[in-house]
Amino acid sequence: MRAEHIEHGVDLAYQQAKKSYDEGGLPIGAVLMTEEGEVVARGHNMRVQEGSPILHGEMSCIRAAGRRTDWHTLTLFTTLSPCPMCSGTAVLHKVRRVVIAESENFQGREDWLLQAGIEVVKLRDARCIELMGRFIREKPQLWNEDIAVVEE
Amino acid sequence: MRAEHIEHGVDLAYQQAKKSYDEGGLPIGAVLMTEEGEVVARGHNMRVQEGSPILHGEMSCIRAAGRRTDWHTLTLFTTLSPCPMCSGTAVLHKVRRVVIAESENFQGREDWLLQAGIEVVKLRDARCIELMGRFIREKPQLWNEDIAVVEE
């Protein structure tokens, strides 16, 4: 995948995250792209918007991609390091590559991706870091309800 | 959790699987239950019914349970050993226990559950084994599109 495709994918994932933030939801976005840079699907976290505990950004994006058999050719972009649910879903579908725009606000299960033979590209996208950090400061309860859930 | 609650949970999960089979879908069902045996939610695979690649039985059930903070008190019943997506989702939500009615037709990521400190109960429910096996024989293409996906 060419560098310009990766840059484009991160841009689109950030736009999805921003859209969700503007809707009052969790600012995490995702994009699925072919090796040639064609956008297959996009999505963002819908926990607030649909009241759903399974619709993280990556899950919304994969839902939008529909039933298909070419997952192993696709790259999944996500604005935030993927949680156990989303990492497990990438492993299930055996996506080719996961591009992670930032992992400073949360560290997911990138180890599961690597163990499954999925290529992992880690970036430090300043826009994604800033937006996620702002949300966590503004709405800590919503953040704690989700991947940052605190054990008793 | 008392033995009668476990038996009841498996019964209900099987009924969900059978309902999906009768609808032409994948016969995998799931139930969420409190330690006292109260049924919180139920669901079945919706790949065919909703055309969704994320709605395995366990995911439909967790979606039906909605946003909540008591996951760590709940037991997830599933008719089939949970795939990477569903195992990852159980790890994300830190459910207390996963009861697996059968793992003969498919072996999922029970190791991820155990590593996350989730209690795992493995059964060999003859009804679930028979129904899943029948479906795999009858509709191998549909099965291969999902968790049994063949790598190139």
Side-chain angles (χ1 to χ4, degrees):
Chain A
M1 176 171 274
R2 286 157 59 184
E4 67 194 66
H5 296 329
I6 290 181
E7 194 175 340
H8 184 48
V10 173
D11 278 351
L12 294 177
Y14 172 74
Q15 287 170 25
Q16 286 292 313
K18 184 65 168 58
K19 178 173 175 289
S20 186
Y21 178 84
D22 292 341
E23 292 171 0
L26 285 101
I28 307 166
V31 167
L32 274 166
M33 187 182 276
T34 68
E35 199 63 10
E36 294 72 38
E38 185 197 348
V39 176
V40 168
R42 54 192 93 189
H44 57 70
N45 191 297
M46 298 282 275
R47 161 174 287 273
V48 171
Q49 294 92 326
E50 285 196 21
S52 172
I54 67 168
L55 287 176
H56 282 188
E58 300 91 323
M59 304 300 284
S60 290
C61 182
I62 288 169
R63 177 178 70 167
R67 288 170 58 181
R68 50 198 313 136
T69 56
D70 62 350
W71 301 104
H72 62 289
T73 69
L74 302 178
T75 293
L76 177 66
F77 292 81
T78 176
T79 56
L80 185 65
S81 180
C83 84
M85 173 169 65
C86 298
S87 297
T89 303
V91 171
L92 166 67
H93 290 307
K94 302 187 179 76
V95 297
R96 175 172 181 156
R97 182 188 293 112
V98 177
V99 177
I100 300 166
E102 72 111 335
S103 47
E104 297 200 10
N105 286 296
F106 177 75
Q107 177 62 60
R109 295 311 300 257
E110 298 163 14
D111 56 328
W112 289 355
L113 304 177
L114 292 168
Q115 284 160 17
I118 296 171
E119 188 183 324
V120 174
V121 177
K122 294 190 67 161
L123 306 173
R124 293 187 63 190
D125 186 90
R127 295 164 302 177
C128 294
I129 294 170
E130 190 282 323
L131 181 60
M132 193 72 239
R134 193 195 325 165
F135 177 85
I136 292 170
R137 286 189 303 276
E138 289 173 352
K139 299 187 176 173
Q141 279 189 309
L142 206 43
W143 173 244
N144 288 332
E145 185 188 314
D146 202 293
I147 50 181
V149 66
V150 179
E151 289 189 81
E152 284 199 340
Chain B
M1 177 170 274
R2 285 157 60 185
E4 67 195 67
H5 297 329
I6 291 181
E7 194 176 342
H8 184 48
V10 173
D11 277 350
L12 293 176
Y14 172 75
Q15 285 170 24
Q16 286 292 311
K18 184 63 169 56
K19 176 172 177 291
S20 186
Y21 178 85
D22 291 341
E23 291 170 1
L26 285 102
I28 306 167
V31 166
L32 275 165
M33 188 182 275
T34 68
E35 199 64 7
E36 295 71 39
E38 186 199 347
V39 176
V40 167
R42 52 192 95 189
H44 58 70
N45 191 295
M46 298 283 273
R47 162 175 286 273
V48 170
Q49 292 93 326
E50 284 196 22
S52 171
I54 66 168
L55 287 177
H56 282 187
E58 300 91 323
M59 305 299 285
S60 290
C61 181
I62 288 169
R63 176 177 71 168
R67 290 170 57 181
R68 52 198 311 137
T69 55
D70 62 351
W71 301 104
H72 61 289
T73 69
L74 301 179
T75 293
L76 177 66
F77 291 82
T78 175
T79 56
L80 186 64
S81 180
C83 84
M85 172 169 66
C86 299
S87 297
T89 303
V91 170
L92 166 66
H93 291 304
K94 300 187 180 78
V95 297
R96 173 172 183 158
R97 182 187 294 111
V98 178
V99 177
I100 300 167
E102 73 111 336
S103 49
E104 296 200 10
N105 285 297
F106 177 75
Q107 177 61 60
R109 296 310 301 258
E110 298 162 15
D111 56 328
W112 289 356
L113 303 177
L114 292 168
Q115 284 160 21
I118 296 171
E119 187 183 325
V120 175
V121 176
K122 293 190 66 161
L123 305 173
R124 293 187 65 190
D125 186 89
R127 295 164 304 178
C128 294
I129 294 170
E130 190 282 324
L131 181 61
M132 193 72 238
R134 193 197 322 167
F135 176 85
I136 292 170
R137 286 191 302 277
E138 288 173 352
K139 298 187 176 174
Q141 279 188 308
L142 205 44
W143 172 245
N144 288 332
E145 185 189 314
D146 203 294
I147 51 179
V149 65
V150 179
E151 289 189 81
E152 285 199 338

